[in-house]
Amino acid sequence: MTETTTPAREAFLAGERLEDVALFLATDYVDDDRLTGYGEAVDDGVVIVVDGERGRNAFKAATGTDAMGFARSAMEHEGIIDGDLTGGTCPEEPPADEDEGDDEHGVQFIFAFAEAQNEEVGGIYADGDVVHAYAQCRCGTAYSDRWTV
């Protein structure tokens, strides 16, 4: 599948939809073709960008997990989440040269929101809007990443 980003995901990633959340649900985690009607089909799943409340409810319905509780637990481990919100690298995943080719690692789902620039807070928040992203790996590890838009 050739991936093209929808205007909703582009706007979210540009920090233009601060009231919304983005969800990525991997096909091997949630196999429901109806989801593509609510979002954007990507190679390994679907990305949905919706207003915050609906997004948190959709996340709970799809994963059985409270979005903000999941985010708090994922903050315990820093990993790498792809800037397009369609994958990542688990902090428990061995380096590529040590990888034995098993399928233990891979993103099952991602929950993300963007926060407006806040110079008073400092750090990366002073540099621009910040995307906060939280992922769940197949191995069971939840991890987080954040970056400036």
Side-chain angles (χ1 to χ4, degrees):
M1 170 183 294
T2 301
E3 188 173 321
T4 58
T5 306
T6 63
R9 183 163 48 134
E10 282 180 18
F12 178 85
L13 293 172
E16 297 169 4
R17 294 183 68 158
L18 298 175
E19 302 300 318
D20 294 346
V21 299
L23 311 173
F24 166 77
L25 302 166
T27 318
D28 63 356
Y29 181 73
V30 177
D31 188 16
D32 188 342
D33 291 335
R34 293 175 298 170
L35 291 174
T36 58
Y38 296 101
E40 168 189 357
V42 294
D43 285 340
D44 296 323
V46 63
V47 176
I48 302 168
V49 177
V50 293
D51 71 83
E53 188 63 31
R54 284 183 47 213
R56 287 185 290 277
N57 290 337
F59 180 82
K60 186 168 186 167
T63 66
T65 305
D66 172 69
M68 297 316 288
F70 169 67
R72 280 189 292 280
S73 69
M75 287 192 302
E76 295 176 16
H77 297 93
E78 287 188 22
I80 298 170
I81 298 176
D82 297 346
D84 65 359
L85 302 176
T86 62
T89 304
C90 175
E92 302 296 322
E93 189 171 343
D97 59 344
E98 296 177 23
D99 188 8
E100 297 176 9
D102 63 40
D103 289 334
E104 183 179 343
H105 297 281
V107 173
Q108 291 181 306
F109 53 83
I110 294 172
F111 172 78
F113 64 90
E115 189 172 348
Q117 179 178 3
N118 186 339
E119 293 180 12
E120 293 177 15
V121 173
I124 67 171
Y125 298 95
D127 297 334
D129 299 338
V130 176
V131 173
H132 295 261
Y134 308 93
Q136 177 71 40
C137 182
R138 279 196 292 266
C139 76
T141 301
Y143 59 97
S144 65
D145 196 2
R146 62 188 175 146
W147 58 88
T148 304
V149 173

